Amino acid sequence: MKKIRLGVLVSGRGSNLQAIIDAIERGQIPAEIAIVISNKSDAYALQRAQKHNIPTVVIDHKAFASRKDFEQALIDELDRHRVDLVCLAGFMRILSPYFVEHYKNRIMNIHPALLPVAKGLYGEHVHKAVLESGAKFSGCTVHFVTEDVDGGPIIIQRVVPVKDDDTVESLAERVLAEEHRAYPEAIRLFAEGKLEIVGRRVKIK
Ligand code: GAR
């Protein structure tokens, strides 16, 4: 099967990037990571990529006069590496319709709750909102990115229990373990041509 080319966008720790790298190295996804782009020069994700000889580049949003200029720089880099699928993996910038349109139906994101829960929130704010809601379950969602932030068609969700004594940290850790299963699985399905977007729904063929 032909390998697809991934561009992974990161801002921090990069544990989801690591899960994707590991799944590719185990031969579980017919893909290769063509480029890892970080908007933060100190993101640990960059070191993870470099350890596996994956090309990296820092594109600092603060160096650009406008969001459009920043996103054009991202697009130029991704296009230069002939990327088939853009994976947001803890990328903490919202992408405008300009970027989303360029890679229409070819951008995925992972959210650390069961969307539409905590839509528009990120990181620990998500887990705080879940704990405050009193919900008995949380989980993670891999979805296609559209102009509606965190509102695109859902590909995979994995569920975890919320325990009575959970803290933001303990819940985040339980969810993260499922993220590391869900994201490689969603990318595999895409790479194998098994995802079909029908309106708001993603059919798995
Ligand atoms: C992950 O939990 C991811 O779901 C979350 O940031 C973390 C990044 O961790 N993303 C969001 O909250 C986006 N709304 P990582 O850098 O170790 O992959």
Side-chain angles (χ1 to χ4, degrees), residues 12-16 89-90 92 110-112 121-123 176 179:
R13 175 179 59 180
S15 71
N16 277 290
M92 296 302 172
I110 186 145
H111 177 82
L121 299 183
Y122 62 92
L176 194 64
E179 293 185 41

Side-chain angles (χ1 to χ4, degrees), residues 5 28 30-31 35 40 54 60 65 70 80 88 94 104 106 111 132 143 155 175 177 184 192 199:
R5 296 172 63 79
Q28 291 167 343
I35 184 74
K40 300 243 182 217
I54 296 165
D60 183 350
F70 168 59
R80 201 162 71 76
L88 310 183
I94 287 174
K104 197 172 168 57
R106 295 193 295 137
H111 177 82
E132 280 171 4
H143 63 95
I155 303 162
V175 169
E192 291 177 350

Side-chain angles (χ1 to χ4, degrees), residues 180-196:
H180 296 162
R181 296 185 179 101
Y183 216 165
E185 172 71 3
I187 296 168
R188 180 183 70 80
L189 290 167
F190 182 93
E192 291 177 350
K194 290 188 176 153
L195 299 179
E196 188 192 352

Side-chain angles (χ1 to χ4, degrees), residues 93-107:
R93 304 297 300 170
I94 287 174
L95 294 166
S96 76
Y98 178 68
F99 185 96
V100 171
E101 193 53 42
H102 189 88
Y103 287 105
K104 197 172 168 57
N105 297 338
R106 295 193 295 137
I107 313 169

Side-chain angles (χ1 to χ4, degrees), residues 21-85:
I21 292 172
D22 292 347
I24 290 172
E25 289 191 351
R26 284 196 296 264
Q28 291 167 343
I29 311 176
E32 61 188 296
I33 301 179
I35 184 74
V36 170
I37 305 177
S38 175
N39 65 313
K40 300 243 182 217
S41 59
D42 60 353
Y44 183 60
L46 291 167
Q47 294 183 42
R48 294 185 191 267
Q50 286 153 11
K51 271 185 209 149
H52 293 263
N53 298 314
I54 296 165
T56 61
V57 63
V58 175
I59 302 181
D60 183 350
H61 58 279
K62 293 202 254 21
F64 296 87
S66 68
R67 186 185 290 273
K68 191 170 178 200
D69 289 350
F70 168 59
E71 293 184 354
Q72 188 61 57
L74 294 177
I75 288 172
D76 289 347
E77 195 66 32
L78 292 164
D79 281 354
R80 201 162 71 76
H81 285 89
R82 293 174 284 111
V83 160
D84 300 301
L85 176 68

